[in-house]
Amino acid sequence: MNELMIQKLTLKDIRFPTSLEKHGSDAMHSDPDYSCAYVILHTQNENLSGHGLCFTIGKGTEVVVKAIETLEHLVKGQKVDGIFNDMSAFWRTLTSHSQIRWIGPEKGVLHLAVGTIVNAVWDLWAKIEKKPLWKLLVDMEPETLVLTIDFRYISDELTKDEALEILRSKRTTATKREKEMIENGYPTYTTSIGWIGYEQSKTRQLCREALANGFNHFKVKVGDCLEDDKERLKLIREEIGYEKFLMVDANQKWDVNQAIEWMKELASFKPLWIEEPTSPDDVVGHSTIAKALNPLGIKVATGEHCQNRILFKQLFQLNGFQFCQIDACRLGGVNEVIAVVLMAAKNNVPVCPHAGGVGLCEYVQHLCMWDYISVSGSLENRVTEYVDHLHEHFEFPVVCKNSRYMPPQSPGYCGQMKKESMEIYEFPDGKYWQNKV
């Protein structure tokens, strides 16, 4: 591996027409086409390549692809050993180019591009080690894992020594939890029942199917019309009862005061959390909402649109949420996810990853398993999103049994898409899109 080098990058814009059946629809995104910017890192060994993606919802994906192209010169020609031996330095190279960072820094389209590349690097690393990513992370010595984190801007909340202490404290009991994951899997919740564009009859049918598949947690989109929300939640409670957990998601629809008043109207349906009640950048607003809703027993969840570890730091410091929802692609790849999960552990905030998008379930299964085995050591109040869409397009699709993610065994990060799927859905020249554009 000493001479293994990233020789070239292949970039693709992959789009699936999920808007046709209203899959993924919510109060802010009525017609999403689940999509991704996709990168392949090629080495001189044709059997070793790293595959990475970032989730998008159609138009604009080409902008992320262009941003990846802009960063390509920082990756091409790099020796793989050099990257792995100092991952935090490689990550900072991508986020801190003296000219390119100006259009970020560490946020927006540029950060999505960074995450796509970094996820591909971790996929390559896990394949070289012949391990699934979760196992690669679990087996890493704490001293090695901490070296992947860029602590700049978060050292006032999490120091290197604190990160090491958290990781070392769980080391001696990790084997027991790893065995538990292999046998039982990691608990999930379903969002597939609750897209805002679904007809009532479809929602009822999906609730019954989810119950039959063992789900105890159900998430519903809200925020477009209060009376419609009440009707939808009433319907779902009729199907699942009040012994199951119900969560609601506004996808950033409301102002702060509007969020508080709207959720007071929905409190009788006993939601566990309100997700993304307002702008993802409004940390103070989230804190205000959380304080106002706490007497009603409603918690705040957010994170899928948090642009970096710095914003998460502020949410922890101002008690802006009670459920931390990391996204495997919105952040700058695995490195930054590790930092946020460790901050969550320090603050005793459960991590409940977002996975409502193409490839996200394949990714986050690794992250939540590593969190349980090596960081939190707890499943209390922890549940990871599961959406039953588009898994058939991946070489190693997620396996969910009795509402639990089962640990993947194939080497890598599981984001590798099937060649035939890319040929059909690559935009705009794929076989599907040729007749549509």
Side-chain angles (χ1 to χ4, degrees):
M1 193 177 72
N2 291 337
E3 299 302 318
L4 201 63
M5 181 183 296
I6 297 173
Q7 293 191 322
K8 67 174 183 177
L9 282 70
T10 297
L11 306 176
K12 295 181 181 292
D13 177 342
I14 310 294
R15 306 188 191 186
F16 299 96
T18 51
S19 62
L20 297 178
E21 298 184 66
K22 298 296 182 181
H23 301 322
S25 57
D26 60 54
M28 290 291 276
H29 313 95
S30 59
D31 58 347
D33 284 326
Y34 274 13
S35 308
C36 64
Y38 191 90
V39 64
I40 305 172
L41 307 180
H42 300 272
T43 70
Q44 63 267 45
N45 182 341
E46 62 180 20
N47 295 317
L48 274 178
S49 58
H51 295 244
L53 60 82
C54 76
F55 171 55
T56 55
I57 59 169
K59 289 181 173 63
T61 307
E62 71 277 6
V63 182
V64 186
V65 172
K66 184 63 178 179
I68 297 170
E69 184 181 316
T70 303
L71 296 168
E72 182 175 0
H73 72 284
L74 300 173
V75 183
K76 189 176 177 180
Q78 291 272 3
K79 288 186 177 181
V80 170
D81 268 352
I83 295 174
F84 297 166
N85 288 337
D86 199 347
M87 275 289 280
S88 62
F90 172 72
W91 193 84
R92 189 175 284 196
T93 297
L94 296 177
T95 59
S96 300
H97 184 281
S98 64
Q99 294 179 2
I100 300 173
R101 77 180 299 275
W102 189 262
I103 61 172
E106 298 187 38
K107 57 189 173 187
V109 171
L110 188 60
H111 216 45
L112 291 173
V114 168
T116 308
I117 293 170
V118 171
N119 286 335
V121 168
W122 280 93
D123 179 63
L124 178 60
W125 192 351
K127 287 174 178 174
I128 289 171
E129 297 295 330
K130 297 182 172 59
K131 297 178 181 180
L133 181 83
W134 68 268
K135 181 63 172 169
L136 175 70
L137 294 174
V138 165
D139 287 350
M140 276 189 186
E141 293 295 329
E143 294 77 10
T144 302
L145 193 61
V146 164
L147 290 177
T148 69
I149 301 171
D150 187 349
F151 285 93
R152 182 164 60 179
Y153 307 137
I154 62 168
S155 61
D156 56 320
E157 176 59 31
L158 181 75
T159 66
K160 180 179 177 181
D161 287 342
E162 287 173 326
L164 280 170
E165 182 180 351
I166 292 168
L167 292 167
R168 288 168 178 165
S169 70
K170 297 297 188 295
R171 196 75 173 161
T172 57
T173 55
T175 300
K176 178 182 177 181
R177 290 188 296 276
E178 181 177 337
K179 182 180 179 182
E180 180 187 344
M181 284 292 97
I182 291 171
E183 292 177 353
N184 302 323
Y186 197 96
T188 68
Y189 70 84
T190 177
T191 304
S192 296
I193 60 115
W195 303 121
I196 210 164
Y198 282 177
E199 297 291 335
Q200 288 189 9
S201 58
K202 184 167 186 174
T203 299
R204 283 193 185 276
Q205 175 192 343
L206 291 171
C207 283
R208 293 170 186 177
E209 291 175 0
L211 286 168
N213 288 324
F215 283 97
N216 292 305
H217 294 74
F218 301 76
K219 192 170 81 178
V220 187
K221 301 295 182 174
V222 297
D224 197 30
C225 171
L226 180 57
E227 293 309 312
D228 287 350
D229 288 349
K230 290 180 177 179
E231 188 174 347
R232 191 181 312 109
L233 295 186
K234 179 176 181 292
L235 180 155
I236 291 170
R237 278 300 189 193
E238 287 174 356
E239 293 296 331
I240 69 172
Y242 277 83
E243 71 279 5
K244 305 295 185 183
F245 293 96
L246 178 65
M247 299 90 83
V248 296
D249 182 359
N251 290 93
Q252 314 156 35
K253 180 74 172 182
W254 303 317
D255 286 346
V256 171
N257 291 332
Q258 185 184 18
I260 294 168
E261 295 307 313
W262 200 297
M263 287 310 300
K264 286 180 179 178
E265 292 288 328
L266 300 183
S268 62
F269 297 102
K270 303 298 182 183
L272 174 64
W273 75 50
I274 171 59
E275 182 174 333
E276 287 201 306
T278 193
S279 166
D281 298 337
D282 188 356
V283 177
V284 174
H286 276 84
S287 182
T288 299
I289 294 167
K291 184 177 181 180
L293 296 183
N294 184 59
L296 300 175
I298 302 172
K299 309 302 182 183
V300 170
T302 199
E304 71 177 86
H305 275 82
C306 283
Q307 53 200 339
N308 52 39
R309 66 204 181 283
I310 302 103
L311 198 59
F312 274 105
K313 176 189 76 172
Q314 295 172 62
L315 284 163
F316 289 122
Q317 291 176 336
L318 295 182
N319 299 313
F321 57 3
Q322 289 74 52
F323 294 96
C324 173
Q325 295 179 307
I326 55 97
D327 183 282
C329 299
R330 179 69 57 178
L331 292 173
V334 176
N335 305 47
E336 196 166 35
V337 169
I338 291 170
V340 173
V341 170
L342 287 167
M343 283 192 286
K346 177 184 174 181
N347 287 277
N348 198 29
V349 174
V351 176
C352 299
H354 165 249
V358 60
L360 293 186
C361 293
E362 277 69 25
Y363 273 173
V364 301
Q365 59 179 338
H366 294 271
L367 304 174
C368 62
M369 288 173 191
W370 165 73
D371 177 23
Y372 175 56
I373 296 168
S374 298
V375 184
S376 71
S378 172
L379 293 179
E380 184 178 0
N381 290 325
R382 287 165 172 84
V383 64
T384 295
E385 187 169 25
Y386 175 73
V387 176
D388 192 15
H389 299 300
L390 305 172
H391 305 300
E392 68 273 15
H393 297 292
F394 291 88
E395 293 287 356
F396 307 103
V398 67
V399 175
C400 187
K401 293 182 179 179
N402 195 32
S403 78
R404 285 177 172 255
Y405 282 126
M406 302 310 297
Q409 299 301 313
S410 55
Y413 200 4
C414 294
Q416 185 168 336
M417 199 170 285
K418 291 179 179 178
K419 182 179 179 181
E420 54 268 32
S421 293
M422 290 190 281
E423 290 174 349
I424 295 171
Y425 293 105
E426 183 173 4
F427 187 86
D429 298 323
K431 295 174 184 177
Y432 176 86
W433 294 108
Q434 282 179 353
N435 300 322
K436 305 294 181 181
V437 179

